Amino acid sequence: MNEEQQKYQPETNAIRIQTERTWQMEHSTPLFLTSSFCYDNVEEMRATFADETDFNIYSRFSNPNVEEFQQKIAALEQAEAAYATSSGMSAIFASFMALMKAGDHLLSARAIFGSTHTVITKYLPKWGITYDYFDVNKPESVEALIKPNTRMIFVETPSNPGLDIIDVRWLADIANKHNILLNVDNCFATPVLQKPILDGAHLVTHSATKWMDGQGRVLGGAVAGRKDLIKEIYAFCRSTGPSMSPFNAWVLSKSLETLYVRMERHSASTLALATALESHPQLNWVRYPYLESHPQYAIAKKQMSGGGGIFCFELKGGIEQGKRFLDALKMLTLTANLGDTRSIASHPASTTHSKLTEAERLNVGITPGFIRISVGLENVQDILQDIEQALEASKV
């Protein structure tokens, strides 16, 4: 971040950070759809390949559109540096593989996205990286699980889909005490509502596909954190190739300009919906970080400036009522995504977390009747009306 950017608030930097204008004096950053970049002479080319300049070489390594997006992510997270990847899962995988080696141990929260669970349990062991899970709802168990070879602690907060929350500053203190990296998936909160770096996290990962894009258009991922760690992640990705496309970076960079106003609206609508449905007779419970009934409500209020755009509930009629409920929705979309302008309903047990065993799902609170709602930007009364009519149509 340069001196000028340091004067401004993160939401201003999300709008004002921009690639240097070309001779055309454009107001909006142009698309740099090129695979490679040119040099005036062989010495300039030699120096660039020798890392003596910061010129671009190849879009698998770097690209002006991607660089602009990375600068915005670093500014929003208030991190030293950031690197963008082709998807959220490639960002998480790169943060693991660039910083751990055979013989290392990963300590992860059990409540994580299904694909992250697959990477940890199926693929990391192939490279000699062992793991243990801890229960976010029993944080006192964390320190006892740390081993001499533990290299990283990984956590989602709020988690997908159960919205479990852990105190990042408390966890960072434990990580620092044992010289371990703390890696926080900040996808659900976004840097608008939560800045784990400021609470001591060493790395923050994102699926930019979700709230950062906000309109269900492109895939993308990002990792932000200490400059030395991001340098290692960049080196890994430069050689292995999970690069973000210039077009996706261009779309995402423009999306970040409205992230603050969107997350404010998403959060306000979601709190209103969760509150209105909390005592509904067809539901066993409703969970949302900013509801006082949430088990970690006090932590959420301390480290988040808003509850986010996701809430979940359990239908009394289990999986059969779940099917009827989803089929009865008239406006909400059934799709494998979240963080859209359009509200989305999903059944994690049969979709995003279907690769987990039933016991593993129950361990993280995903019951057969569990429904996750991603709240969009529609009128909140229209969203509520659709959910209520679907509950009535599917009632037991």
Side-chain angles (χ1 to χ4, degrees):
M1 191 182 299
N2 61 37
E3 275 187 38
E4 191 66 24
Q5 291 161 9
Q6 289 174 352
K7 297 177 184 177
Y8 303 131
Q9 296 299 315
E11 57 264 47
T12 300
N13 284 324
I15 295 168
R16 284 292 169 180
I17 289 175
Q18 194 169 358
T19 302
E20 186 177 353
R21 290 192 181 102
T22 72
W23 69 95
Q24 298 288 356
M25 296 301 290
E26 67 281 343
H27 188 230
S28 180
T29 300
L31 275 163
F32 291 89
L33 298 182
T34 179
S35 58
S36 60
F37 299 85
C38 302
Y39 309 94
D40 289 333
N41 54 67
V42 70
E43 172 55 26
E44 185 176 81
M45 190 173 188
R46 181 211 64 77
T48 301
F49 273 78
D51 295 327
E52 295 171 10
T53 79
D54 58 0
F55 297 157
N56 294 304
I57 296 174
Y58 194 61
S59 282
R60 173 160 54 86
F61 305 169
S62 63
N63 176 280
N65 294 124
V66 178
E67 178 62 27
E68 179 180 293
F69 176 65
Q70 290 171 169
Q71 287 181 14
K72 288 185 176 183
I73 292 294
L76 286 171
E77 286 288 3
Q78 294 184 245
E80 290 179 357
Y83 184 75
T85 62
S86 56
S87 68
M89 283 311 306
S90 61
I92 288 171
F93 183 66
S95 74
F96 290 166
M97 297 308 295
L99 299 170
M100 290 190 289
K101 65 183 185 307
D104 283 345
H105 173 251
L106 171 70
L107 182 56
S108 171
R110 181 177 285 112
I112 52 175
F113 179 51
S115 293
T116 308
H117 169 78
T118 300
V119 167
I120 290 173
T121 60
K122 184 176 180 180
Y123 294 107
L124 292 189
K126 290 186 176 183
W127 289 288
I129 300 169
T130 58
Y131 70 91
D132 278 300
Y133 279 144
F134 67 88
D135 186 344
V136 169
N137 294 297
K138 297 177 181 176
E140 67 278 2
S141 67
V142 171
E143 199 156 12
L145 292 169
I146 293 173
K147 301 179 179 181
N149 61 332
T150 303
R151 170 65 173 158
M152 181 182 291
I153 297 174
F154 178 79
V155 65
E156 295 176 9
T157 182
S159 66
N160 181 8
L163 303 176
D164 297 305
I165 293 169
I166 196 165
D167 189 323
V168 174
R169 186 172 295 279
W170 174 85
L171 196 56
D173 287 343
I174 289 177
N176 287 328
K177 176 182 173 182
H178 295 274
N179 196 29
I180 297 169
L181 297 174
L182 175 58
N183 186 351
V184 177
D185 184 329
N186 197 30
C187 176
F188 269 28
T190 80
V192 172
L193 305 178
Q194 179 175 269
K195 292 181 170 59
I197 297 291
L198 298 186
D199 280 329
H202 306 106
L203 287 171
V204 171
T205 50
H206 283 282
S207 171
T209 311
K210 309 303 192 298
W211 302 109
M212 286 186 176
D213 175 27
Q215 292 163 74
R217 299 169 296 185
V218 299
L219 300 180
V223 190
R226 276 182 7 210
K227 188 175 290 185
D228 62 319
L229 301 178
I230 299 302
K231 185 178 180 180
E232 290 296 318
I233 291 167
Y234 163 73
F236 173 80
C237 292
R238 172 174 168 154
S239 294
T240 55
S243 51
M244 176 177 281
S245 78
F247 177 77
N248 286 12
W250 180 83
V251 170
L252 289 164
S253 188
K254 296 299 291 182
S255 298
L256 291 182
E257 296 181 13
T258 61
L259 183 60
Y260 267 77
V261 293
R262 286 188 286 109
M263 291 312 297
E264 288 172 4
R265 172 66 176 265
H266 286 302
S267 297
S269 293
T270 309
L271 178 58
L273 291 167
T275 302
L277 293 167
E278 193 169 22
S279 58
H280 196 283
Q282 291 299 312
L283 305 180
N284 286 328
W285 48 258
V286 174
R287 179 170 285 192
Y288 182 64
Y290 264 37
L291 285 181
E292 290 187 22
S293 57
H294 190 288
Q296 293 99 27
Y297 170 75
I299 299 173
K301 292 290 286 187
K302 181 184 75 168
Q303 74 185 21
M304 299 174 69
S305 61
I310 300 285
F311 78 104
C312 51
F313 52 76
E314 184 185 56
L315 295 162
K316 288 186 174 178
I319 192 167
E320 291 306 316
Q321 187 182 10
K323 292 175 183 177
R324 296 196 302 272
F325 170 78
L326 292 176
D327 284 342
L329 291 167
K330 296 178 180 178
M331 184 181 77
L332 272 69
T333 311
L334 308 185
T335 186
N337 197 24
L338 60 91
D340 203 305
T341 52
R342 293 159 290 189
S343 295
I344 296 166
S346 69
H347 182 242
S350 64
T351 56
T352 54
H353 291 70
S354 60
K355 296 293 190 295
L356 278 67
T357 66
E358 183 176 1
E360 287 170 337
R361 286 195 293 270
L362 291 174
N363 268 339
V364 293
I366 303 173
T367 59
F370 186 107
I371 300 292
R372 185 189 72 189
I373 305 290
S374 171
V375 177
L377 299 180
E378 305 97 341
N379 181 281
V380 68
Q381 291 304 315
D382 290 335
I383 304 170
L384 180 61
Q385 182 180 345
D386 194 33
I387 293 173
E388 287 181 331
Q389 68 80 25
L391 287 171
E392 178 64 23
S394 65
K395 69 181 181 181
V396 294

